[in-house]
Amino acid sequence: MKEKPIAANDLVITALEKTDALPYDLLLIADPSKHAIDKYIFDSIVYKADLKGRTIGCYALFGIDHETVEIKNIAVDESFQGKGIGTILLNDAVEKAKLKGLKKIIIGTGNSSVGQLYLYQKVGFRITGIERDFFKENYDEPIIENGIECRDMIVLTKEL
Ligand code: ACO
C-alpha cells in the first residue's frame, strides 16, 4: 500500500535568521560541493521545513533581479523523500515569490536529474534554457547520475 503523503499543514516552514546555523547536511544532498553552496547561500533566504520539531527539508531563494528569484537549492531528508514534501516546498517557494510581487521563479538542475526534471514540470515549471557544460566547468569531480554524466544545467521557469 502506498504510504500516506505528508500534508502541508504537518510542516512548519520558516525563514532562517542570518545568525542561524545553515542546514549543510540537507543543502549538500542537493548540491555536492560546499564550495559551490557557499557562493550563493549567504545571499539567499534559506527556508527550513520542520516536521514534529525535526528539520527535514529546506530551500534557498536567491534574488536574480527585480522580477525574478531562483530556487538555488531544495532538499528533503532522504528518509522523508517521496512523501510529497518536495512538492509542498516548491509550491511554498512559488507562493513566497508571488507575495513578493515577483514575475518569475526559476530553478536549475542537471541533465541527468530525471526525477527532478519530472517534478519541476509537474508543478508548472517549463524548460527555458540550457547552460551547456555548467557542471563540467564548475565541479571538480565528474557527477554520474541515472547512468549518465551530469554536464549541462537545465533551467526551468514558472511565470507567476
Ligand atoms: N527521482 C525520481 N522521482 C522523483 C525524484 C527523484 N529524484 N524526486 C521527486 N520525484 C517524483 C516523485 O516520485 C513524485 O512522483 P509522483 O507525484 O508521481 O508520485 C514526485 O516527483 C513528487 O515527489 P515529492 O515526494 O513531492 O518530492 P520529494 O519530497 O522527494 O522532494 C526532492 C524532491 C527535493 C528533489 C528530493 O527528492 C531531494 O531532496 N532529492 C535530493 C536532492 C536534490 O536532488 N535536490 C534538487 C537539486 S536541484 C536544486 O537544488 C536547485
Side-chain angles (χ1 to χ4, degrees):
M1 199 169 68
K2 203 173 177 186
E3 224 176 315
K4 186 174 163 281
I6 287 167
N9 287 345
D10 297 333
L11 288 179
V12 180
I13 302 174
T14 46
L16 292 183
E17 302 289 338
K18 287 285 174 208
T19 49
D20 289 336
L22 289 165
Y24 278 108
D25 51 338
L26 290 168
L27 296 165
L28 284 162
I29 307 175
D31 189 339
S33 161
K34 182 170 183 296
H35 180 68
I37 292 171
D38 286 345
K39 283 189 190 161
Y40 57 76
I41 207 69
F42 303 110
D43 295 319
S44 302
I45 304 176
V46 180
Y47 294 89
K48 64 170 180 141
D50 290 346
L51 180 70
K52 295 179 185 158
R54 175 175 167 193
T55 300
I56 52 145
C58 71
Y59 68 86
L61 285 187
F62 179 90
I64 300 289
D65 58 33
H66 67 285
E67 60 177 27
T68 311
V69 72
E70 177 173 354
I71 302 172
K72 279 282 190 187
N73 189 305
I74 180 164
V76 172
D77 182 300
E78 270 141 17
S79 52
F80 290 88
Q81 289 176 10
K83 299 176 193 289
I85 297 170
T87 304
I88 294 168
L89 295 183
L90 285 165
N91 287 328
D92 190 76
V94 166
E95 286 312 309
K96 295 246 170 27
K98 275 188 193 163
L99 283 173
K100 288 178 203 282
L102 298 166
K103 299 270 184 291
K104 278 190 282 186
I105 183 163
I106 68 172
I107 191 163
T109 195
N111 58 283
S112 52
S113 296
V114 179
Q116 289 81 342
L117 285 167
Y118 160 80
L119 169 58
Y120 303 154
Q121 290 177 84
K122 201 168 175 193
V123 299
F125 285 80
R126 289 187 64 181
I127 293 173
T128 47
I130 300 171
E131 290 183 34
R132 282 175 69 86
D133 289 320
F134 175 88
F135 290 97
K136 280 190 87 72
E137 285 163 11
N138 289 283
Y139 289 77
D140 294 336
E141 303 291 327
I143 304 168
I144 306 291
E145 196 184 12
N146 297 312
I148 44 176
E149 188 177 358
C150 181
R151 300 169 64 120
D152 309 317
M153 167 88 84
I154 311 295
V155 181
L156 300 99
T157 303
K158 185 173 164 83
E159 309 279 340
L160 302 172

